[in-house]
Amino acid sequence: MSSDFEGYEQDFAVLTAEITGKIARVPRLPPDEKKQMVANVEKQLEEARELLEQMDLEVREIPPQSRGMYSNRMRSYKQEMGKLETDFKRSRIAYSDEVRNELLGDDGNSSENQRAHLLDNTERLERSSRRLEAGYQIAVETEQIGQEMLENLSHDREKIQRARERLRETDANLGKSSRVLTGMLRSSLHIALWEPLLCCTRRVPAHLLY
């Protein structure tokens, strides 16, 4: 499993490095090239999200006692993904404002305020999204731990039931053995009591017995 996770990690690192370089180039590109670059970055961002989902699934398969290190790495990758998306939005907004100012002859003050307001709202939404993701991850881990505890309790209960069944079988066998031994003891006592009398009877002359 760890080899699959590490493979996804390497793909994610290469992909995010490419995205970072392309985002930095977006504001400086001509309109036609900029449109094509934006579409390419959006596609790569979607691929990065899919890689994160695959890594998340791999982490969920790891036993709880070994999952902490991978969970920390996942949180770091999700934060990096959020930063990339924020930088991409800023790059697109900056370019859009620049083009609009050139067309309308605006001095840029109004658009700068609007851009700052949009970025502030975007960052707040992303922080809320990260908190929700962290809460969801904790809930998933808690559910998995609870499920494992229930499975362990079920196994323990089965062991106890099997032990009780073996104890009942042992009691039944001991009861049978006790009855057999009691019967043998009674037979031995019966023989021990009557054998001397039978011997004496054989020694007495027949005419004395009548």
Side-chain angles (χ1 to χ4, degrees):
M1 191 290 305
S2 59
S3 60
D4 293 337
F5 183 86
E6 291 170 357
Y8 291 136
E9 276 186 314
Q10 293 175 1
D11 293 342
F12 183 79
V14 172
L15 188 58
T16 52
E18 292 180 1
I19 293 172
T20 300
K22 291 178 180 179
I23 288 175
R25 293 171 53 196
V26 168
R28 299 191 297 269
L29 292 174
D32 293 340
E33 294 182 18
K34 183 256 184 182
K35 183 177 180 181
Q36 183 178 358
M37 182 67 74
V38 166
N40 186 268
V41 171
E42 287 176 341
K43 181 180 179 180
Q44 288 188 315
L45 284 173
E46 183 61 30
E47 292 176 1
R49 294 187 195 98
E50 292 177 358
L51 283 173
L52 281 179
E53 291 177 0
Q54 291 295 330
M55 286 191 286
D56 200 18
L57 291 174
E58 292 292 332
V59 170
R60 296 181 188 179
E61 298 297 326
I62 300 175
Q65 60 270 22
S66 305
R67 191 181 301 154
M69 177 182 67
Y70 293 96
S71 297
N72 291 335
R73 285 154 71 174
M74 281 301 303
R75 281 193 288 271
S76 176
Y77 295 144
K78 289 178 180 179
Q79 290 174 357
E80 182 179 356
M81 186 69 195
K83 184 177 182 302
L84 280 177
E85 292 175 340
T86 299
D87 292 343
F88 182 51
K89 291 175 183 177
R90 287 176 176 173
S91 178
R92 294 183 64 180
I93 292 173
Y95 184 83
S96 299
D97 288 345
E98 181 182 349
V99 172
R100 188 180 64 180
N101 291 337
E102 290 178 356
L103 293 174
L104 300 178
D106 194 355
D107 60 2
N109 292 331
S110 176
S111 62
E112 184 66 25
N113 292 334
Q114 292 177 358
R115 181 161 62 90
H117 182 68
L118 287 172
L119 291 175
D120 184 57
N121 289 338
T122 300
E123 290 176 355
R124 281 202 299 268
L125 288 172
E126 289 176 350
R127 285 195 298 269
S128 298
S129 177
R130 287 194 292 269
R131 285 195 294 269
L132 288 173
E133 289 178 358
Y136 172 76
Q137 184 65 30
I138 292 172
V140 169
E141 293 177 358
T142 302
E143 181 181 0
Q144 291 175 342
I145 292 172
Q147 183 65 30
E148 291 173 1
M149 291 178 65
L150 288 175
E151 291 177 356
N152 291 335
L153 289 174
S154 177
H155 293 328
D156 291 342
R157 182 175 61 185
E158 291 176 359
K159 290 179 181 178
I160 292 172
Q161 289 176 346
R162 287 195 295 269
R164 286 177 176 173
E165 290 174 358
R166 286 195 296 269
L167 181 59
R168 293 192 190 98
E169 292 175 357
T170 301
D171 288 341
N173 292 333
L174 287 174
K176 293 178 182 178
S177 299
S178 177
R179 288 193 294 272
V180 171
L181 289 173
T182 300
M184 293 173 64
L185 180 60
R186 288 177 179 173
S187 298
S188 298
L189 290 174
H190 182 77
I191 293 171
L193 289 173
W194 286 98
E195 187 174 3
L197 295 175
L198 291 174
C199 291
C200 292
T201 303
R202 295 193 192 100
R203 292 174 185 169
V204 175
H207 69 278
L208 295 178
L209 293 175
Y210 298 98

